[in-house]
Amino acid sequence: MNRQQDYEFTPPQWVDEFLQTRPHDQHSESLPAIFATCDRLFHYIQAVFGKGHEIPQIRVRHKNHVQAETAFTVVNITTGLIDLCLNTKFLPLDSERIPFATGTPELNQLGRHIMMSWIVSHEYYHIVRAHDGVQDDFTDVHTRHALERDADLMATAAIYRLLQRDLKGRMPDPVVRQLAFYLIFFSIRHLPGGAEDGTHPEIGVRLFGIATKICHLQEDNSRPAEAGDEHFEAIIHMVIKCELAYQAENPEVQRNSGIFKLLTDSTNKPWLATIDRWENKVKQEVKKLSQTPT
């Protein structure tokens, strides 16, 4: 049995144990801080939405494939996901209109924190929002997509609030929003899979929903969300520049996100079907089962 096989069949480990046994290299030195950021976000989510829910523990499975999933109060992630997070490039963007320096080592480091935090908070929201209970009643693809969209948007809002708190006084709110989208874009765009896995909507549909959510969030968390026209132009510019940068860096990947088509024609049928299912069926079930606002 070779070392690769030994690695794959190592029993799952809780994060603290994993950090003690993982071989040290340049990237892995940042893992304790990355998981500390995840823990901060878990506590924020619990305080705002998840009272009555335990803070989930993260368990690491030694598998090469990229995966995250929930099981009761545990978020399971794979070493494949950790490695992807540590090696994802948050690419430089070619535009004078981008109000922060992209592609820098500092931003790559922040990106690793945000990528892992967004992914595990997405999974935690499946617990907080009682999505398993909803799926017991509605099992078709549009319901699954509506629930994934809900987890996407809730995790996006949590990341925006995290950056808002951490960067208070250092960046104006419109720049925080653009930064949040930039970091979440490259976090998701590098994930394998997509609509073909039967669970998640198309990548372009997910990114379009996230961009819209960032536009609509209120700077003051005590106020309800409203139309975000004042942020729309800057966020859409960020969408375009991020997608162009990704495609230029990955010419061999024949995986058009479809985001440009959505920007010019949001009558995309899968997109509208997911929204319709959320608004007319799933939304009220989530509210009733989770006792959280929708």
Side-chain angles (χ1 to χ4, degrees), residues 18-51:
F18 170 75
L19 292 175
Q20 291 172 9
T21 58
R22 180 181 171 96
H24 289 287
D25 56 38
Q26 182 180 358
H27 286 325
S28 65
E29 289 178 358
S30 64
L31 279 174
I34 289 173
F35 284 119
T37 301
C38 296
D39 190 61
R40 284 178 58 209
L41 207 57
F42 282 165
H43 280 82
Y44 165 78
I45 293 168
Q46 186 197 46
V48 177
F49 294 105
K51 294 174 182 176

Side-chain angles (χ1 to χ4, degrees), residues 132-149:
D132 281 350
V134 175
Q135 292 214 58
D136 289 341
D137 296 324
F138 308 107
T139 57
D140 62 271
V141 67
H142 295 309
T143 297
R144 292 198 299 272
H145 286 184
L147 295 174
E148 290 299 328
R149 175 179 175 271

Side-chain angles (χ1 to χ4, degrees), residues 37 40 110 161-170:
T37 301
R40 284 178 58 209
L110 176 60
R161 298 300 174 198
L162 177 73
L163 291 171
Q164 188 184 45
R165 293 194 303 275
D166 288 353
L167 299 173
K168 187 175 183 179
R170 294 166 54 193

